[in-house]
Short mmCIF file of all heavy atoms in Angstrom, two decimals:
data_model
loop_
_atom_site.label_atom_id
_atom_site.label_comp_id
_atom_site.label_asym_id
_atom_site.label_seq_id
_atom_site.Cartn_x
_atom_site.Cartn_y
_atom_site.Cartn_z
N THR A 1 -5.79 7.10 5.27
CA THR A 1 -5.92 7.51 6.66
C THR A 1 -4.94 6.74 7.54
O THR A 1 -4.38 5.71 7.13
CB THR A 1 -7.34 7.26 7.18
OG1 THR A 1 -7.56 5.84 7.27
CG2 THR A 1 -8.39 7.90 6.28
N LYS A 2 -4.74 7.25 8.72
CA LYS A 2 -3.84 6.59 9.67
C LYS A 2 -4.31 5.16 9.94
O LYS A 2 -3.50 4.21 9.91
CB LYS A 2 -3.80 7.39 10.97
CG LYS A 2 -2.95 6.81 12.07
CD LYS A 2 -2.97 7.73 13.28
CE LYS A 2 -2.18 7.16 14.45
NZ LYS A 2 -2.16 8.10 15.60
N ALA A 3 -5.59 4.98 10.19
CA ALA A 3 -6.12 3.65 10.49
C ALA A 3 -5.93 2.71 9.31
O ALA A 3 -5.55 1.54 9.48
CB ALA A 3 -7.60 3.74 10.88
N GLU A 4 -6.18 3.19 8.10
CA GLU A 4 -6.02 2.35 6.90
C GLU A 4 -4.57 1.92 6.71
O GLU A 4 -4.29 0.76 6.41
CB GLU A 4 -6.50 3.11 5.67
CG GLU A 4 -8.00 3.30 5.59
CD GLU A 4 -8.41 4.24 4.46
OE1 GLU A 4 -7.55 4.99 3.95
OE2 GLU A 4 -9.60 4.23 4.09
N LEU A 5 -3.66 2.85 6.89
CA LEU A 5 -2.25 2.54 6.71
C LEU A 5 -1.77 1.53 7.74
O LEU A 5 -1.07 0.56 7.40
CB LEU A 5 -1.42 3.82 6.80
CG LEU A 5 -1.53 4.76 5.59
CD1 LEU A 5 -0.99 6.14 5.94
CD2 LEU A 5 -0.79 4.19 4.39
N ILE A 6 -2.13 1.74 9.00
CA ILE A 6 -1.68 0.82 10.05
C ILE A 6 -2.25 -0.57 9.83
O ILE A 6 -1.54 -1.58 9.93
CB ILE A 6 -2.06 1.37 11.44
CG1 ILE A 6 -1.24 2.62 11.75
CG2 ILE A 6 -1.84 0.30 12.52
CD1 ILE A 6 -1.60 3.30 13.06
N GLU A 7 -3.54 -0.63 9.52
CA GLU A 7 -4.18 -1.94 9.31
C GLU A 7 -3.53 -2.68 8.15
O GLU A 7 -3.22 -3.87 8.25
CB GLU A 7 -5.67 -1.75 9.04
CG GLU A 7 -6.40 -3.06 8.79
CD GLU A 7 -7.86 -2.86 8.43
OE1 GLU A 7 -8.18 -1.85 7.75
OE2 GLU A 7 -8.69 -3.70 8.82
N TYR A 8 -3.27 -1.97 7.04
CA TYR A 8 -2.74 -2.64 5.86
C TYR A 8 -1.30 -3.08 6.05
O TYR A 8 -0.93 -4.22 5.73
CB TYR A 8 -2.86 -1.72 4.64
CG TYR A 8 -2.47 -2.40 3.35
CD1 TYR A 8 -3.00 -3.64 3.01
CD2 TYR A 8 -1.58 -1.80 2.46
CE1 TYR A 8 -2.65 -4.28 1.83
CE2 TYR A 8 -1.23 -2.43 1.28
CZ TYR A 8 -1.77 -3.67 0.96
OH TYR A 8 -1.41 -4.30 -0.20
N VAL A 9 -0.46 -2.20 6.59
CA VAL A 9 0.94 -2.57 6.78
C VAL A 9 1.06 -3.67 7.83
O VAL A 9 1.92 -4.56 7.71
CB VAL A 9 1.78 -1.33 7.16
CG1 VAL A 9 3.21 -1.73 7.50
CG2 VAL A 9 1.78 -0.33 6.00
N THR A 10 0.23 -3.64 8.84
CA THR A 10 0.24 -4.71 9.84
C THR A 10 -0.11 -6.05 9.19
O THR A 10 0.52 -7.08 9.48
CB THR A 10 -0.75 -4.40 10.98
OG1 THR A 10 -0.34 -3.19 11.63
CG2 THR A 10 -0.78 -5.53 12.00
N GLU A 11 -1.09 -6.05 8.30
CA GLU A 11 -1.43 -7.28 7.58
C GLU A 11 -0.25 -7.79 6.76
O GLU A 11 0.07 -8.99 6.78
CB GLU A 11 -2.61 -7.01 6.65
CG GLU A 11 -3.00 -8.18 5.77
CD GLU A 11 -4.02 -7.82 4.71
OE1 GLU A 11 -4.78 -6.85 4.92
OE2 GLU A 11 -4.05 -8.48 3.66
N LEU A 12 0.44 -6.90 6.08
CA LEU A 12 1.57 -7.30 5.23
C LEU A 12 2.75 -7.82 6.04
O LEU A 12 3.49 -8.70 5.58
CB LEU A 12 2.03 -6.12 4.38
CG LEU A 12 1.11 -5.66 3.25
CD1 LEU A 12 1.61 -4.35 2.66
CD2 LEU A 12 1.00 -6.72 2.16
N THR A 13 2.94 -7.28 7.25
CA THR A 13 4.17 -7.56 7.99
C THR A 13 3.99 -8.50 9.17
O THR A 13 4.99 -9.02 9.69
CB THR A 13 4.79 -6.25 8.52
OG1 THR A 13 3.86 -5.60 9.41
CG2 THR A 13 5.12 -5.30 7.37
N GLN A 14 2.77 -8.73 9.61
CA GLN A 14 2.56 -9.56 10.79
C GLN A 14 1.79 -10.84 10.52
O GLN A 14 1.78 -11.75 11.34
CB GLN A 14 1.81 -8.75 11.89
CG GLN A 14 2.50 -7.45 12.26
CD GLN A 14 3.92 -7.64 12.75
OE1 GLN A 14 4.20 -8.55 13.52
NE2 GLN A 14 4.83 -6.78 12.30
N SER A 15 1.14 -10.94 9.37
CA SER A 15 0.42 -12.17 9.01
C SER A 15 1.37 -13.08 8.23
O SER A 15 2.54 -12.78 8.03
CB SER A 15 -0.81 -11.84 8.18
OG SER A 15 -0.43 -11.44 6.87
N SER A 16 0.84 -14.20 7.75
CA SER A 16 1.66 -15.12 6.96
C SER A 16 2.17 -14.49 5.67
O SER A 16 3.10 -15.00 5.05
CB SER A 16 0.86 -16.39 6.63
OG SER A 16 -0.27 -16.06 5.82
N GLN A 17 1.58 -13.36 5.26
CA GLN A 17 2.04 -12.69 4.04
C GLN A 17 3.51 -12.31 4.13
O GLN A 17 4.20 -12.25 3.11
CB GLN A 17 1.20 -11.44 3.77
CG GLN A 17 -0.15 -11.73 3.14
CD GLN A 17 -0.90 -10.45 2.82
OE1 GLN A 17 -1.53 -9.86 3.68
NE2 GLN A 17 -0.82 -10.02 1.58
N LYS A 18 4.00 -12.05 5.31
CA LYS A 18 5.40 -11.63 5.45
C LYS A 18 6.37 -12.69 4.97
O LYS A 18 7.53 -12.40 4.66
CB LYS A 18 5.71 -11.28 6.91
CG LYS A 18 5.71 -12.47 7.85
CD LYS A 18 6.01 -12.06 9.28
CE LYS A 18 6.02 -13.24 10.22
NZ LYS A 18 6.31 -12.86 11.63
N GLU A 19 5.92 -13.94 4.88
CA GLU A 19 6.80 -15.04 4.47
C GLU A 19 6.92 -15.16 2.95
O GLU A 19 7.85 -15.83 2.47
CB GLU A 19 6.29 -16.37 5.04
CG GLU A 19 6.12 -16.40 6.55
CD GLU A 19 7.44 -16.32 7.30
OE1 GLU A 19 8.51 -16.39 6.65
OE2 GLU A 19 7.42 -16.16 8.53
N PHE A 20 6.01 -14.54 2.19
CA PHE A 20 6.05 -14.78 0.74
C PHE A 20 5.72 -13.55 -0.10
O PHE A 20 6.04 -13.51 -1.29
CB PHE A 20 5.08 -15.90 0.36
CG PHE A 20 3.62 -15.57 0.58
CD1 PHE A 20 2.85 -15.00 -0.41
CD2 PHE A 20 3.01 -15.86 1.80
CE1 PHE A 20 1.51 -14.69 -0.20
CE2 PHE A 20 1.67 -15.56 2.03
CZ PHE A 20 0.93 -14.98 1.02
N TYR A 21 5.11 -12.52 0.49
CA TYR A 21 4.63 -11.37 -0.29
C TYR A 21 5.53 -10.18 -0.02
O TYR A 21 5.55 -9.63 1.08
CB TYR A 21 3.18 -11.05 0.13
CG TYR A 21 2.43 -10.16 -0.83
CD1 TYR A 21 1.58 -10.71 -1.77
CD2 TYR A 21 2.56 -8.77 -0.78
CE1 TYR A 21 0.86 -9.90 -2.65
CE2 TYR A 21 1.85 -7.96 -1.65
CZ TYR A 21 1.00 -8.52 -2.58
OH TYR A 21 0.30 -7.73 -3.45
N ARG A 22 6.32 -9.79 -1.04
CA ARG A 22 7.21 -8.63 -0.88
C ARG A 22 6.53 -7.42 -1.53
O ARG A 22 6.51 -7.29 -2.75
CB ARG A 22 8.56 -8.88 -1.53
CG ARG A 22 9.36 -10.00 -0.88
CD ARG A 22 10.82 -9.93 -1.33
NE ARG A 22 11.57 -11.09 -0.90
CZ ARG A 22 11.92 -12.11 -1.68
NH1 ARG A 22 11.55 -12.09 -2.96
NH2 ARG A 22 12.62 -13.11 -1.22
N PRO A 23 6.00 -6.51 -0.73
CA PRO A 23 5.25 -5.38 -1.30
C PRO A 23 6.16 -4.35 -1.95
O PRO A 23 7.28 -4.12 -1.52
CB PRO A 23 4.55 -4.79 -0.07
CG PRO A 23 5.41 -5.18 1.09
CD PRO A 23 5.98 -6.52 0.74
N ASN A 24 5.64 -3.74 -3.00
CA ASN A 24 6.30 -2.62 -3.66
C ASN A 24 5.28 -1.49 -3.69
O ASN A 24 4.24 -1.60 -4.35
CB ASN A 24 6.76 -3.00 -5.07
CG ASN A 24 7.76 -2.03 -5.65
OD1 ASN A 24 7.68 -0.83 -5.41
ND2 ASN A 24 8.69 -2.54 -6.44
N PHE A 25 5.55 -0.41 -2.97
CA PHE A 25 4.59 0.68 -2.80
C PHE A 25 4.79 1.75 -3.87
O PHE A 25 5.86 2.35 -3.97
CB PHE A 25 4.75 1.33 -1.42
CG PHE A 25 4.12 0.56 -0.29
CD1 PHE A 25 3.57 -0.70 -0.48
CD2 PHE A 25 4.06 1.11 1.00
CE1 PHE A 25 2.99 -1.41 0.57
CE2 PHE A 25 3.47 0.42 2.04
CZ PHE A 25 2.94 -0.84 1.84
N TRP A 26 3.74 2.01 -4.65
CA TRP A 26 3.76 3.02 -5.70
C TRP A 26 2.67 4.06 -5.41
O TRP A 26 1.48 3.72 -5.40
CB TRP A 26 3.50 2.39 -7.06
CG TRP A 26 4.65 1.58 -7.59
CD1 TRP A 26 5.13 0.42 -7.07
CD2 TRP A 26 5.45 1.86 -8.74
NE1 TRP A 26 6.19 -0.04 -7.81
CE2 TRP A 26 6.41 0.84 -8.85
CE3 TRP A 26 5.45 2.90 -9.68
CZ2 TRP A 26 7.35 0.81 -9.88
CZ3 TRP A 26 6.39 2.86 -10.70
CH2 TRP A 26 7.33 1.83 -10.79
N PRO A 27 3.03 5.32 -5.21
CA PRO A 27 2.00 6.36 -5.03
C PRO A 27 1.18 6.61 -6.30
O PRO A 27 0.03 7.05 -6.22
CB PRO A 27 2.80 7.61 -4.66
CG PRO A 27 4.11 7.10 -4.14
CD PRO A 27 4.38 5.85 -4.93
N ASN A 28 1.78 6.37 -7.47
CA ASN A 28 1.05 6.54 -8.73
C ASN A 28 1.62 5.60 -9.78
O ASN A 28 2.73 5.07 -9.62
CB ASN A 28 1.14 7.99 -9.22
CG ASN A 28 2.51 8.32 -9.82
OD1 ASN A 28 3.53 7.82 -9.35
ND2 ASN A 28 2.54 9.17 -10.83
N THR A 29 0.87 5.35 -10.84
CA THR A 29 1.33 4.60 -12.00
C THR A 29 0.67 5.24 -13.23
O THR A 29 -0.26 6.04 -13.08
CB THR A 29 0.95 3.10 -11.95
OG1 THR A 29 -0.44 2.96 -12.27
CG2 THR A 29 1.24 2.50 -10.58
N PRO A 30 1.08 4.89 -14.44
CA PRO A 30 0.38 5.44 -15.62
C PRO A 30 -1.10 5.09 -15.64
O PRO A 30 -1.90 5.81 -16.26
CB PRO A 30 1.13 4.80 -16.80
CG PRO A 30 2.49 4.54 -16.27
CD PRO A 30 2.29 4.13 -14.84
N ASP A 31 -1.47 4.00 -14.98
CA ASP A 31 -2.87 3.58 -14.95
C ASP A 31 -3.65 4.20 -13.79
O ASP A 31 -4.88 4.15 -13.78
CB ASP A 31 -2.97 2.06 -14.81
CG ASP A 31 -2.49 1.34 -16.06
OD1 ASP A 31 -3.01 1.64 -17.14
OD2 ASP A 31 -1.58 0.50 -15.95
N ILE A 32 -2.94 4.74 -12.80
CA ILE A 32 -3.62 5.18 -11.58
C ILE A 32 -3.19 6.60 -11.23
O ILE A 32 -2.05 6.86 -10.85
CB ILE A 32 -3.30 4.25 -10.39
CG1 ILE A 32 -3.62 2.80 -10.74
CG2 ILE A 32 -4.08 4.68 -9.16
CD1 ILE A 32 -3.06 1.79 -9.76
N ASN A 33 -4.13 7.52 -11.38
CA ASN A 33 -3.98 8.90 -10.94
C ASN A 33 -4.83 9.06 -9.69
O ASN A 33 -6.00 9.44 -9.76
CB ASN A 33 -4.44 9.84 -12.06
CG ASN A 33 -4.34 11.31 -11.69
OD1 ASN A 33 -3.69 11.67 -10.70
ND2 ASN A 33 -4.99 12.18 -12.47
N PRO A 34 -4.30 8.73 -8.52
CA PRO A 34 -5.14 8.62 -7.31
C PRO A 34 -5.75 9.95 -6.91
O PRO A 34 -5.14 11.02 -7.09
CB PRO A 34 -4.16 8.10 -6.26
CG PRO A 34 -2.82 8.45 -6.75
CD PRO A 34 -2.89 8.45 -8.24
N PHE A 35 -6.96 9.88 -6.35
CA PHE A 35 -7.71 11.09 -6.02
C PHE A 35 -6.94 12.06 -5.13
O PHE A 35 -6.97 13.27 -5.36
CB PHE A 35 -9.04 10.72 -5.37
CG PHE A 35 -9.97 9.98 -6.31
CD1 PHE A 35 -10.54 8.77 -5.95
CD2 PHE A 35 -10.28 10.50 -7.57
CE1 PHE A 35 -11.39 8.09 -6.80
CE2 PHE A 35 -11.13 9.83 -8.43
CZ PHE A 35 -11.69 8.62 -8.05
N PRO A 36 -6.22 11.61 -4.08
CA PRO A 36 -5.52 12.58 -3.23
C PRO A 36 -4.46 13.39 -3.97
O PRO A 36 -4.14 14.51 -3.56
CB PRO A 36 -4.86 11.70 -2.16
CG PRO A 36 -5.70 10.47 -2.10
CD PRO A 36 -6.12 10.24 -3.52
N LEU A 37 -3.91 12.85 -5.07
CA LEU A 37 -2.88 13.58 -5.82
C LEU A 37 -3.47 14.50 -6.88
O LEU A 37 -2.77 15.37 -7.41
CB LEU A 37 -1.90 12.61 -6.46
CG LEU A 37 -1.05 11.75 -5.53
CD1 LEU A 37 -0.05 10.92 -6.33
CD2 LEU A 37 -0.32 12.60 -4.49
N GLN A 38 -4.75 14.30 -7.23
CA GLN A 38 -5.37 15.12 -8.27
C GLN A 38 -5.51 16.56 -7.76
O GLN A 38 -6.27 16.83 -6.85
CB GLN A 38 -6.72 14.55 -8.67
CG GLN A 38 -6.62 13.21 -9.38
CD GLN A 38 -7.96 12.64 -9.78
OE1 GLN A 38 -8.98 13.33 -9.77
NE2 GLN A 38 -7.97 11.36 -10.16
N GLY A 39 -4.72 17.45 -8.36
CA GLY A 39 -4.70 18.83 -7.89
C GLY A 39 -3.96 18.99 -6.58
O GLY A 39 -4.01 20.05 -5.95
N GLY A 40 -3.25 17.94 -6.17
CA GLY A 40 -2.59 17.95 -4.87
C GLY A 40 -1.38 18.88 -4.83
O GLY A 40 -0.67 19.04 -5.81
N ASN A 41 -1.15 19.45 -3.65
CA ASN A 41 -0.03 20.35 -3.48
C ASN A 41 1.27 19.57 -3.25
O ASN A 41 1.28 18.34 -3.24
CB ASN A 41 -0.30 21.34 -2.33
CG ASN A 41 -0.52 20.62 -0.99
OD1 ASN A 41 -0.16 19.45 -0.83
ND2 ASN A 41 -1.12 21.31 -0.04
#
C-alpha cells in the first residue's frame, strides 16, 4: 500500500539506517512468490 511503502522507504532513507544499510529491492525470488503477483496481470 501507499502508506506501507512511504513508511518503509522513509525508515530506510531518513533514519540511521541510511548510513550503513544499502537496500536491494526484489519483487520476487525463487523462495518468494508474493501474493500480489500470484495470478497477477
